[in-house]
């Protein structure tokens, strides 16, 4: 069965430091992988996705994610965190064979000044 | 968020009320979705419409009734809800049905529903 895991409920980072939000997945086949962000009282905003090709994907607001097939991971990264990056981050997985995105439970990112 | 809009943003209703949630997408997409987001749980897909035809219904109770009159509008009609139905209801759209490849889902801001 396909699944997505975000092993950390919450990540705390000091402003200006690099940040990483972890995501691992389990599938049979080649997945499409997504990151979305949700700010308080807002809907989900698309950040980036991996389809195929270059393992390093660049997205909105300076975020990037690295697809690692051997480790079945798709961690979200940013070189220098901003307080405004504080939000809830969701990793999701899709396969060509169905309509559904498989979602992680989300990671709350807190950036402290 | 102007791509997908949802109204109302907040809704409080009693268990015997009937209300409707509205979603409109301005992206020219052909597929629309309803999701339920509860605290500390993964998003739950409720319904999928493609070209106004329902293509997915994930065992959602009949007290939730979707309607898609055209490819730009999606409604969720609510009646005799339970307190456990309190959640954030999100609408999304994508160019075509399916979640893979070039197809990306774009979300509205959601309706925060409280059932008393």
């Amino acid at each position: 069965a396909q699944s997505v895991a975000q092993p950390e409920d919450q990540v705390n980072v000091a402003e200006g430091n690099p940040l990483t939000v972890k995501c691992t997945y389990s599938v049979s086949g080649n997945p499409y992988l997504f990151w979305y962000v949700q700010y308080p009282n807002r809907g989900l905003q698309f950040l980036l996705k991996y389809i195929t090709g270059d393992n390093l994907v660049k997205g909105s607001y300076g975020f990037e994610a690295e697809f690692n097939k051997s480790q079945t991971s798709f961690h979200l990264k940013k070189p220098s965190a901003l307080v405004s990056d504080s939000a809830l981050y969701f990793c999701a997985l899709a396969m060509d064979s169905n309509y559904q995105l498989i979602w992680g439970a989300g990671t709350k990112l807190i950036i402290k000044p | 968020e102007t791509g997908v809009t949802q109204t109302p943003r907040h809704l409080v209703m009693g268990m015997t009320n009937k209300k409707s949630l509205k979603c409109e997408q301005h992206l020219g997409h052909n597929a629309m979705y309803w999701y339920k987001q509860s605290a500390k749980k993964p998003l739950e897909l409720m319904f999928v419409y493609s070209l106004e035809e329902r293509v997915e219904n994930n065992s959602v109770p009949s007290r939730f009734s979707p309607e898609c009159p055209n490819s730009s509008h999606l409604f969720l009609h609510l009646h005799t809800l339970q307190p456990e139905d309190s959640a954030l209801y999100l609408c999304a759209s994508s160019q075509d049905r399916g979640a893979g490849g070039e197809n990306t889902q774009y979300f509205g801001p959601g309706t925060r529903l409280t059932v008393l």
Side-chain angles (χ1 to χ4, degrees), chain A residues 87-101:
Chain A
L88 193 55
Y89 290 79
F90 291 92
C91 182
L93 158 73
M95 306 295 289
D96 261 336
S97 56
N98 60 51
Y99 307 131
Q100 297 201 35
L101 283 167

Side-chain angles (χ1 to χ4, degrees), chain A residues 74-90:
Chain A
F74 189 58
H75 300 332
L76 182 70
K77 299 182 180 184
K78 187 173 182 180
S80 179
L82 301 172
V83 173
S84 58
D85 293 328
S86 299
L88 193 55
Y89 290 79
F90 291 92

Side-chain angles (χ1 to χ4, degrees), chain A residues 42-44, chain B residues 1 4-6 90-92 106-110:
Chain A
R42 305 275 290 275
L44 275 70
Chain B
E1 292 180 349
V4 181
T5 58
Q6 290 186 244
L90 293 164
C91 174
Y106 294 91
F107 286 78

Side-chain angles (χ1 to χ4, degrees), chain A:
Chain A
Q2 301 149 12
S3 65
V4 175
Q6 293 182 244
E8 301 154 318
D9 288 339
Q10 183 170 309
V11 172
N12 298 298
V13 178
E15 187 178 25
N17 283 1
L19 69 87
T20 299
V21 183
K22 295 180 180 177
C23 173
T24 59
Y25 65 89
S26 175
V27 291
S28 299
N30 296 315
Y32 305 103
L33 292 158
F34 302 78
W35 275 104
Y36 284 82
V37 60
Q38 186 175 34
Y39 298 101
N41 301 314
R42 305 275 290 275
L44 275 70
Q45 294 182 30
F46 169 72
L47 274 180
L48 53 81
K49 67 179 177 182
Y50 171 80
I51 301 176
T52 186
D54 194 347
N55 290 342
L56 186 63
V57 181
K58 294 188 182 298
S60 305
Y61 312 121
F63 284 94
E64 58 187 28
E66 185 171 9
F67 174 66
N68 188 320
K69 190 171 183 177
S70 63
Q71 296 186 6
T72 61
S73 68
F74 189 58
H75 300 332
L76 182 70
K77 299 182 180 184
K78 187 173 182 180
S80 179
L82 301 172
V83 173
S84 58
D85 293 328
S86 299
L88 193 55
Y89 290 79
F90 291 92
C91 182
L93 158 73
M95 306 295 289
D96 261 336
S97 56
N98 60 51
Y99 307 131
Q100 297 201 35
L101 283 167
I102 309 300
W103 293 88
T107 298
K108 185 175 184 179
L109 176 65
I110 298 176
I111 309 299
K112 298 181 179 178

Side-chain angles (χ1 to χ4, degrees), chain B residues 47-115:
Chain B
F47 301 103
V48 180
Y49 276 83
S50 175
L51 296 172
E52 301 132 54
E53 177 185 351
R54 189 191 308 180
V55 295
E56 187 86 7
N57 175 354
N58 274 1
S59 302
V60 179
S62 59
R63 57 186 183 268
F64 295 91
S65 175
E67 179 189 2
C68 187
N70 55 62
S71 59
S72 298
H73 293 86
L74 185 65
F75 294 88
L76 187 63
H77 304 298
L78 316 171
H79 66 98
T80 60
L81 295 191
Q82 305 297 312
E84 59 264 29
D85 296 322
S86 298
L88 183 67
Y89 288 84
L90 293 164
C91 174
S93 72
S94 61
Q95 184 60 53
D96 296 298
R97 67 184 182 186
E102 298 292 335
N103 227 13
T104 298
Q105 293 182 23
Y106 294 91
F107 286 78
T111 295
R112 173 69 62 187
L113 174 67
T114 302
V115 181

